[in-house]
Structures are given as structure tokens and as C-alpha cells.
Amino acid sequence: MICLGIEGTAHTVGIGVVRDGPVNILSNVLNMYSPPSGGIHPRDAANHHSSVFVDVLEESLEKANIGFDDIDLIGFSVGPGLGPCLRTVATAARSLALYLKKPLLGVNHCIAHLEIGRAMTDADDPVLLYVSGGNTQVIAFLNGRYRVFGETLDIGIGNCLDKFGRKMEIKFPAGPKIEEMAENGKKYVPLPYSVKGMDVSFSGILTAATVLMKKERREDVCFSMQETCFSMLTEVVERAMAHTEKDEILLGGGVASNKRLQDMVKKMAEEREGRFYCPPQNLLVDNGAMIAWTALLMHKSGMKMNATDTSIRQNFRTDEVEVTWRD
Ligand code: AMP
Ligand code: MG
């Protein structure tokens, strides 16, 4: 069975083709919107998505070496995300499903990050640290659902880095450049470390770093920001592992590309005799293959959706999903 998966919750249009059985990714094509200046305006991102959609689709089918007739199922990310982006991609997904007369499934974006990690690594029942631009959540499977054990109380970690990057006139996405600058940091300057139970908060760090930037070396501020934010995330994910008595930790989301974050979480896992897993970079970021794979799991468990079930859900919560494909 072959599934076409479509992602478009925020900055990226991703279309992937996945065959079931042992996960087999035939293609995974991405096109990310990077605004010429400032932050991402949802309407501009949606316009980007509609303008590149057909090209991304054609490239994805070509790379997978399949035609429209080979597609058995279509999955798309139904939420959470930016309304105009979700609507654009949902319209495209629905049109395609109607035209091809194939079943359509709306996939929860956060759960897709977790499922592709389980498929691509040896992780079986992990705690997911999902760190992206808009989302920061600690998710694990408990009593039949994916539950959020901790999350940001304000902005996502990626958004915190990107906003700080903007102050330094670094274009979106700023995370990779901040990581590079942090490697040349020599001094730790204290920032407001904020953990509340298993939740975290980043907006105070952003404000403090913006002030510090005027009197400290930028490399030192980047270094201190990474050390503070990533220590907070490592602390809460360790607490979630202890609480759920799980010994696997999986990373997901674009910020998980960061080597310093990977090292910190890995070290924590090793110290607790747990196991650390991180999927390859092109599956960490928002992508269509993870949506296709999750749609396949849903479909094989007997899930069906009619047109109203595929209405977009901007605030779709991870724990609202009925998980029919796991025991
Ligand atoms: P996503 O929304 O999951 O596709 O991830 C995008 C986010 O990941 C953006 O906020 C980027 O700034 C961030 N990001 C990408 N690479 C890195 C990195 N190496 N270090 C920190 N953040 C990163
Ligand atoms: Mg994401």
C-alpha cells in the first residue's frame, strides 16, 4: 500500500510517499518558506504553500518513481498549525483525494513526529521531546492515548531562537546560526531558567537575552541561551521519563537538529541507563513522510474519515487523538 502524505502546518510544504510494511520512504520533498524580513505572516506562508504545491507534488512523485494511479491513500496534517496554511493544504489534499477517489485521513502533526521516530529508530515506547518552531511538548503514550506531560507555557523554543535571531538580523530559521555562534561562546551569562513542574517558559529568556546582547559578546549570549533553554528541556524530559517509568527518549522537531541539545539529552539518558534516539535530520523537521506513515498506521487500524472529520483544527491537542493503532 502506498500513501501520499502532505504537510503544511506552518513554514514548510512537505510531500512524501511512503510504502507500508517495514517503513519504506520512497520520497520526502520539502519547500520551506523563509520571509524576506521579519517573522512569518500566516497569510504569506499560505500563499507560498499554494504557489509551490504542484512543484513539490510533482517532484515527490517523480522521486518516488510512481504515478497518481499508484497512490492508495492520502494523509495530510489537519493541525495544530497556522489557519491559512492548514486551509490551503487541506483544500489541496481534499481535491486530490476526490479526484483520485482515494481515502483521506487528517493526521495530528505532533503525533506524526513521534510515529516517524518510532518507525525509523529502535524506539518502541519512548518519551518524545518535540521541539520545533511553534511547538514544545513532552509527549508519551499512557493508558491508550498520547498525552502531553509538559509543554511551553508561552512561545516554542524554536520561536524563541528565531525571534532572538531576528534581533541580531539573522534570517529565519535562526537556530542553525545560533548553534554556530554558541560554539564560540566563552562565558555563561545567567538567564532566567524557568521550569514549572514539567512545563517550561521561554519568553523571559528572550527578553533577558535581548537586553544582554547590548553589553555581552553575542557568541556568549547565544551560548548561554542554548545552555539555559536546553538544560530546562533536559530537566523536564527526565522528570517525564521518571514519572512514566519509560526508559526511551526520542527527539523530534527542527530544534532537535541541534548537537548541543542532542548531547545533553543523550547524557541524561545514559546516566539513567536509558536509551536515546534521534531520527535523521530530514525527518526531524516538518515533512510529508511522517504524515504519510502516520496515515498508514491509522488506515491499517481501520480508521476512516468523512469530509467533516477532515476539517482543519488549529489548536488540535495531542491527547484528543484516539489512538487506534497501538495497544
Ligand atoms: P520545525 O518547525 O520542526 O520544522 O523546526 C524549525 C525550527 O527549528 C526553527 O525554529 C529553527 O530555527 C529550528 N532549528 C533548525 N535547526 C536548528 C539548530 N541546529 N539548532 C536550533 N534550532 C534549530
Ligand atoms: Mg513540527
Side-chain angles (χ1 to χ4, degrees):
M1 175 162 222
I2 290 183
C3 180
L4 181 87
I6 305 171
E7 158 59 30
T9 54
H11 44 68
T12 295
V13 174
I15 303 184
V17 178
V18 178
R19 194 192 287 275
D20 75 340
V23 61
N24 184 359
I25 299 174
L26 305 179
S27 69
N28 193 21
V29 178
L30 312 176
N31 189 314
M32 187 172 82
Y33 173 63
S34 178
S37 65
I40 293 176
H41 192 297
R43 194 184 53 224
D44 294 338
N47 287 341
H48 161 267
H49 293 1
S50 60
S51 67
V52 303
F53 192 91
V54 173
D55 288 346
V56 176
L57 177 63
E58 282 175 352
E59 194 183 332
S60 191
L61 293 176
E62 196 179 313
K63 286 211 165 123
N65 201 17
I66 64 158
F68 281 120
D69 293 345
D70 300 309
I71 299 170
D72 302 300
L73 170 71
I74 295 171
F76 76 102
S77 47
V78 69
L82 306 172
C85 301
L86 290 171
R87 258 190 296 282
T88 302
V89 165
T91 306
R94 271 187 220 116
S95 318
L96 209 54
L98 271 174
Y99 173 68
L100 298 175
K101 300 192 177 60
K102 296 295 172 191
L104 178 68
L105 287 173
V107 175
N108 177 290
H109 174 93
C110 309
I111 288 182
H113 274 288
L114 197 146
E115 289 301 350
I116 198 68
R118 284 178 71 222
M120 298 303 292
T121 70
D122 288 333
D124 173 45
D125 184 23
V127 173
L128 171 77
L129 175 60
Y130 170 36
V131 279
S132 73
N135 298 295
T136 301
Q137 295 188 333
V138 178
I139 303 170
F141 188 71
L142 197 74
N143 301 332
R145 288 208 177 219
Y146 281 118
R147 297 178 195 276
V148 179
F149 288 88
E151 63 190 316
T152 178
L153 298 173
D154 44 48
I155 52 176
I157 171 71
N159 191 232
C160 175
L161 297 170
D162 294 331
K163 279 191 166 133
F164 183 59
R166 228 181 293 153
K167 310 270 182 206
M168 299 190 291
E169 287 169 19
I170 299 169
K171 262 188 78 174
F172 173 87
K177 180 72 186 159
I178 291 178
E179 176 172 19
E180 206 183 297
M181 289 173 73
E183 279 162 21
N184 295 314
K186 295 190 177 76
K187 179 174 103 175
Y188 178 79
V189 282
L191 289 165
Y193 186 101
S194 18
V195 167
K196 297 180 175 86
M198 282 190 253
D199 294 329
V200 287
S201 149
F202 296 111
S203 59
I205 294 175
L206 174 65
T207 307
T210 307
V211 172
L212 278 172
M213 195 179 106
K214 295 177 185 109
K215 43 189 180 203
E216 303 283 350
R217 281 175 73 235
R218 290 187 170 185
E219 288 80 359
D220 291 337
V221 183
C222 291
F223 167 75
S224 307
M225 205 169 180
Q226 285 202 167
E227 293 303 300
T228 309
C229 296
F230 298 167
S231 304
M232 287 161 48
L233 292 168
T234 308
E235 181 187 330
V236 296
V237 85
E238 177 168 26
R239 193 161 296 139
M241 286 174 83
H243 178 74
T244 56
E245 298 181 349
K246 295 189 195 287
D247 58 6
E248 296 176 334
I249 166 75
L250 174 72
L251 294 184
V255 183
S257 324
N258 189 292
K259 293 282 173 294
R260 181 62 185 140
L261 176 63
Q262 292 180 8
D263 288 348
M264 274 196 201
V265 176
K266 188 161 181 241
K267 186 154 184 265
M268 176 276 289
E270 284 166 1
E271 282 174 6
R272 325 177 28 90
E273 294 178 1
R275 291 182 302 284
F276 168 85
Y277 300 102
C278 185
Q281 159 76 19
N282 65 335
L283 296 171
L284 275 177
V285 297
D286 288 355
N287 68 89
M290 69 177 189
I291 304 299
W293 175 246
T294 310
L296 278 169
L297 294 175
M298 292 161 72
H299 179 79
K300 287 195 292 180
S301 72
M303 202 181 278
K304 289 190 172 55
M305 288 187 184
N306 58 33
T308 49
D309 295 331
T310 60
S311 302
I312 61 151
R313 301 174 71 173
Q314 287 187 65
N315 301 314
F316 197 5
R317 295 281 308 173
T318 306
D319 44 20
E320 284 177 85
V321 176
E322 201 195 333
V323 183
T324 47
W325 59 95
R326 283 190 68 169
D327 309 321

Coordinates of all heavy atoms in Angstrom, one line a residue, residues 80-134:
P80 N -2.1 20.6 14.8 CA -2.3 22.1 15.0 C -1.4 22.9 14.1 O -0.4 22.4 13.6 CB -1.8 22.3 16.5 CG -0.8 21.2 16.7 CD -1.2 20.0 15.9
G81 N -1.7 24.1 13.9 CA -0.9 25.0 13.0 C -1.5 26.3 12.7 O -2.6 26.7 13.3
L82 N -1.0 27.0 11.7 CA -1.5 28.3 11.3 C -2.7 28.1 10.4 O -2.6 27.5 9.4 CB -0.4 29.1 10.6 CG 1.0 29.2 11.4 CD1 2.0 29.8 10.5 CD2 0.8 30.0 12.6
G83 N -3.8 28.8 10.7 CA -5.1 28.6 10.0 C -4.9 28.7 8.5 O -5.3 27.8 7.8
P84 N -4.4 29.8 7.9 CA -4.3 29.9 6.5 C -3.5 28.8 5.8 O -3.8 28.4 4.7 CB -3.7 31.3 6.3 CG -4.0 32.1 7.6 CD -3.9 31.0 8.6
C85 N -2.4 28.4 6.5 CA -1.6 27.4 5.9 C -2.3 26.0 5.9 O -2.4 25.3 4.9 CB -0.3 27.2 6.7 SG 0.7 28.7 6.8
L86 N -3.0 25.7 7.1 CA -3.7 24.5 7.2 C -4.8 24.4 6.1 O -5.0 23.4 5.5 CB -4.4 24.4 8.6 CG -3.4 24.1 9.7 CD1 -4.2 24.3 11.1 CD2 -2.8 22.7 9.6
R87 N -5.5 25.5 5.9 CA -6.6 25.6 5.0 C -6.2 25.3 3.6 O -6.8 24.6 2.8 CB -7.4 26.9 5.1 CG -8.7 26.8 5.9 CD -9.5 28.1 5.7 NE -8.8 29.2 6.3 CZ -8.8 29.5 7.6 NH1 -9.4 28.7 8.5 NH2 -8.1 30.5 8.1
T88 N -5.1 26.0 3.2 CA -4.5 25.8 1.9 C -4.2 24.4 1.5 O -4.6 23.8 0.5 CB -3.3 26.7 1.7 OG1 -3.6 28.0 2.0 CG2 -2.7 26.6 0.3
V89 N -3.5 23.8 2.5 CA -3.0 22.4 2.3 C -4.2 21.4 2.3 O -4.3 20.4 1.6 CB -1.9 22.1 3.3 CG1 -1.6 20.6 3.4 CG2 -0.6 22.8 2.9
A90 N -5.2 21.7 3.2 CA -6.3 20.8 3.4 C -7.1 20.8 2.1 O -7.6 19.8 1.6 CB -7.2 21.2 4.6
T91 N -7.3 22.0 1.5 CA -8.0 22.1 0.2 C -7.3 21.3 -0.9 O -8.0 20.6 -1.6 CB -8.1 23.6 -0.2 OG1 -8.7 24.3 0.9 CG2 -9.0 23.8 -1.4
A92 N -6.0 21.4 -0.9 CA -5.3 20.6 -1.9 C -5.4 19.1 -1.7 O -5.7 18.4 -2.6 CB -3.8 21.0 -1.9
A93 N -5.3 18.7 -0.4 CA -5.4 17.3 -0.1 C -6.8 16.7 -0.4 O -7.0 15.7 -1.0 CB -5.1 17.1 1.4
R94 N -7.9 17.5 -0.1 CA -9.2 17.1 -0.4 C -9.5 17.0 -1.9 O -10.1 16.0 -2.3 CB -10.2 18.1 0.2 CG -10.6 17.7 1.6 CD -11.7 18.6 2.2 NE -11.4 18.9 3.5 CZ -11.1 20.1 4.0 NH1 -11.2 21.2 3.2 NH2 -10.8 20.3 5.2
S95 N -9.0 18.0 -2.6 CA -9.2 17.9 -4.1 C -8.5 16.7 -4.7 O -9.1 16.0 -5.5 CB -8.6 19.2 -4.7 OG -8.9 20.3 -4.0
L96 N -7.3 16.4 -4.2 CA -6.6 15.3 -4.7 C -7.3 14.0 -4.4 O -7.4 13.1 -5.3 CB -5.2 15.3 -4.1 CG -4.0 14.8 -4.9 CD1 -3.9 15.4 -6.2 CD2 -2.7 15.0 -4.1
A97 N -7.8 13.9 -3.2 CA -8.4 12.6 -2.8 C -9.7 12.4 -3.6 O -10.0 11.3 -4.0 CB -8.8 12.7 -1.3
L98 N -10.5 13.5 -3.8 CA -11.7 13.4 -4.6 C -11.4 13.1 -6.0 O -12.1 12.2 -6.6 CB -12.4 14.8 -4.6 CG -13.4 15.1 -3.5 CD1 -13.9 16.5 -3.5 CD2 -14.6 14.1 -3.5
Y99 N -10.4 13.7 -6.6 CA -10.0 13.4 -8.0 C -9.6 12.0 -8.2 O -10.0 11.3 -9.1 CB -9.0 14.4 -8.4 CG -8.3 14.2 -9.7 CD1 -9.1 14.4 -10.9 CD2 -7.0 13.8 -9.9 CE1 -8.5 14.2 -12.1 CE2 -6.4 13.6 -11.1 CZ -7.2 13.8 -12.2 OH -6.7 13.5 -13.5
L100 N -8.8 11.5 -7.2 CA -8.2 10.2 -7.4 C -9.1 9.1 -6.8 O -8.9 7.9 -6.9 CB -6.8 10.1 -6.6 CG -5.7 11.0 -7.2 CD1 -4.5 10.9 -6.3 CD2 -5.4 10.6 -8.6
K101 N -10.2 9.5 -6.1 CA -11.2 8.6 -5.5 C -10.5 7.7 -4.5 O -10.7 6.5 -4.5 CB -11.9 7.8 -6.5 CG -12.7 8.6 -7.5 CD -13.7 7.7 -8.3 CE -14.6 8.5 -9.2 NZ -13.8 9.3 -10.3
K102 N -9.6 8.3 -3.6 CA -8.9 7.6 -2.6 C -9.3 8.1 -1.2 O -9.6 9.3 -1.1 CB -7.4 7.8 -2.8 CG -6.9 7.2 -4.2 CD -7.0 5.7 -4.2 CE -6.7 5.2 -5.6 NZ -7.1 3.8 -5.8
P103 N -9.1 7.2 -0.2 CA -9.5 7.7 1.1 C -8.5 8.8 1.6 O -7.3 8.8 1.3 CB -9.3 6.4 2.0 CG -8.6 5.4 1.2 CD -8.7 5.8 -0.3
L104 N -9.1 9.6 2.5 CA -8.3 10.8 3.0 C -8.3 10.7 4.5 O -9.4 10.5 5.1 CB -8.9 12.1 2.5 CG -8.3 13.4 3.0 CD1 -6.9 13.6 2.4 CD2 -9.2 14.6 2.6
L105 N -7.1 10.9 5.2 CA -7.1 10.9 6.6 C -6.4 12.2 7.1 O -5.3 12.6 6.6 CB -6.3 9.7 7.2 CG -7.1 8.4 7.1 CD1 -6.1 7.2 7.5 CD2 -8.3 8.3 7.9
G106 N -7.0 12.9 8.1 CA -6.3 14.0 8.7 C -5.5 13.6 9.9 O -6.0 12.9 10.7
V107 N -4.2 14.0 9.8 CA -3.2 13.5 10.8 C -2.9 14.6 11.8 O -2.7 15.7 11.4 CB -2.0 13.0 10.1 CG1 -0.9 12.6 11.0 CG2 -2.3 11.8 9.1
N108 N -2.7 14.2 13.1 CA -2.2 15.2 14.1 C -0.7 15.3 13.9 O 0.0 14.3 13.9 CB -2.6 14.7 15.5 CG -2.0 15.6 16.6 OD1 -0.8 15.6 16.8 ND2 -2.8 16.3 17.3
H109 N -0.3 16.5 13.6 CA 1.1 16.8 13.3 C 2.1 16.4 14.4 O 3.1 15.8 14.1 CB 1.2 18.3 13.0 CG 2.6 18.8 12.8 ND1 3.1 19.0 11.6 CD2 3.5 19.3 13.7 CE1 4.3 19.4 11.7 NE2 4.6 19.6 12.9
C110 N 1.8 16.6 15.6 CA 2.7 16.3 16.7 C 2.9 14.8 16.9 O 4.0 14.3 17.0 CB 2.2 16.8 18.1 SG 1.8 18.6 18.0
I111 N 1.8 14.1 16.7 CA 1.9 12.6 16.8 C 2.7 12.0 15.6 O 3.4 11.0 15.8 CB 0.4 12.0 16.9 CG1 -0.1 12.3 18.3 CG2 0.4 10.5 16.6 CD1 -1.5 11.8 18.6
A112 N 2.6 12.7 14.5 CA 3.3 12.2 13.3 C 4.8 12.3 13.6 O 5.6 11.4 13.2 CB 3.0 13.0 12.1
H113 N 5.3 13.3 14.3 CA 6.7 13.4 14.7 C 7.1 12.2 15.5 O 8.2 11.7 15.4 CB 7.0 14.7 15.5 CG 7.2 15.9 14.7 ND1 8.4 16.1 13.9 CD2 6.4 17.0 14.4 CE1 8.3 17.3 13.3 NE2 7.1 17.9 13.6
L114 N 6.2 11.8 16.4 CA 6.5 10.7 17.3 C 6.5 9.4 16.5 O 7.4 8.5 16.7 CB 5.5 10.6 18.4 CG 6.0 9.8 19.6 CD1 5.5 10.4 20.9 CD2 5.5 8.4 19.5
E115 N 5.5 9.2 15.7 CA 5.4 7.9 14.9 C 6.5 7.7 14.0 O 7.0 6.6 13.8 CB 4.0 7.8 14.2 CG 2.9 7.6 15.2 CD 3.0 6.4 16.1 OE1 3.8 5.5 15.8 OE2 2.2 6.2 17.0
I116 N 7.0 8.7 13.3 CA 8.1 8.5 12.3 C 9.4 8.2 13.1 O 10.2 7.4 12.7 CB 8.3 9.7 11.4 CG1 9.1 9.3 10.2 CG2 9.0 10.9 12.0 CD1 8.5 8.3 9.2
G117 N 9.5 8.8 14.3 CA 10.7 8.4 15.2 C 10.6 7.0 15.6 O 11.7 6.3 15.6
R118 N 9.5 6.5 16.0 CA 9.3 5.1 16.3 C 9.6 4.2 15.2 O 10.2 3.1 15.3 CB 7.9 4.8 16.8 CG 7.6 5.3 18.2 CD 6.2 5.0 18.6 NE 6.0 3.6 18.8 CZ 4.9 2.8 18.4 NH1 4.0 3.4 17.7 NH2 4.8 1.6 18.7
A119 N 9.2 4.6 14.0 CA 9.4 3.8 12.8 C 10.9 3.7 12.3 O 11.4 2.7 11.9 CB 8.5 4.3 11.6
M120 N 11.6 4.9 12.5 CA 12.9 5.0 11.9 C 14.0 4.6 12.9 O 15.2 4.6 12.5 CB 13.1 6.4 11.4 CG 12.2 6.8 10.3 SD 12.3 5.7 8.8 CE 13.9 6.1 8.2
T121 N 13.7 4.5 14.2 CA 14.7 4.1 15.1 C 14.3 2.8 15.9 O 13.2 2.3 15.6 CB 14.9 5.2 16.2 OG1 13.7 5.3 17.0 CG2 15.1 6.6 15.6
D122 N 15.0 2.4 16.8 CA 14.6 1.2 17.6 C 13.7 1.6 18.8 O 13.4 0.7 19.6 CB 15.9 0.5 18.2 CG 16.6 -0.2 17.0 OD1 16.0 -0.6 16.0 OD2 17.9 -0.4 17.2
A123 N 13.4 2.8 18.9 CA 12.5 3.2 20.0 C 11.1 2.6 19.8 O 10.6 2.5 18.7 CB 12.3 4.8 19.9
D124 N 10.6 2.0 20.9 CA 9.3 1.3 20.9 C 8.2 2.1 21.6 O 7.2 2.4 21.1 CB 9.5 -0.1 21.5 CG 8.2 -0.8 21.6 OD1 7.4 -0.7 20.6 OD2 7.9 -1.4 22.7
D125 N 8.6 2.5 22.8 CA 7.6 3.3 23.6 C 8.3 4.4 24.3 O 8.4 4.5 25.5 CB 7.0 2.3 24.7 CG 5.9 2.9 25.5 OD1 5.3 3.9 25.0 OD2 5.6 2.5 26.6
P126 N 8.7 5.4 23.5 CA 9.5 6.5 24.0 C 8.8 7.6 24.6 O 7.6 7.8 24.4 CB 10.3 7.0 22.8 CG 9.3 6.8 21.7 CD 8.5 5.6 22.0
V127 N 9.5 8.4 25.4 CA 9.0 9.8 25.7 C 9.6 10.7 24.6 O 10.8 10.6 24.3 CB 9.6 10.3 27.1 CG1 9.2 11.7 27.3 CG2 9.0 9.4 28.2
L128 N 8.7 11.4 23.9 CA 9.2 12.3 22.8 C 9.4 13.7 23.4 O 8.5 14.3 24.0 CB 8.1 12.4 21.7 CG 8.4 13.4 20.6 CD1 9.4 12.9 19.7 CD2 7.1 13.7 19.8
L129 N 10.6 14.2 23.1 CA 10.8 15.7 23.3 C 10.6 16.3 21.9 O 11.5 16.1 21.0 CB 12.2 15.9 23.9 CG 12.6 17.4 24.0 CD1 11.6 18.1 24.9 CD2 14.0 17.6 24.5
Y130 N 9.5 17.0 21.8 CA 9.2 17.6 20.5 C 9.4 19.1 20.5 O 8.8 19.8 21.2 CB 7.7 17.3 20.1 CG 7.2 18.0 18.9 CD1 8.0 18.3 17.8 CD2 5.9 18.5 18.9 CE1 7.5 19.0 16.7 CE2 5.4 19.2 17.8 CZ 6.2 19.4 16.7 OH 5.7 20.1 15.7
V131 N 10.5 19.5 19.8 CA 11.0 20.9 19.9 C 11.0 21.5 18.5 O 11.9 21.2 17.7 CB 12.3 20.9 20.6 CG1 12.2 20.9 22.1 CG2 13.3 19.8 20.1
S132 N 10.0 22.3 18.2 CA 10.0 22.9 16.9 C 9.8 24.4 17.0 O 10.0 25.0 18.1 CB 8.9 22.3 16.0 OG 7.7 22.7 16.5
G133 N 9.5 25.0 15.9 CA 9.3 26.5 15.9 C 8.2 26.9 16.8 O 8.3 27.6 17.8
G134 N 7.0 26.3 16.5 CA 5.8 26.7 17.2 C 5.5 25.8 18.4 O 4.8 26.2 19.3

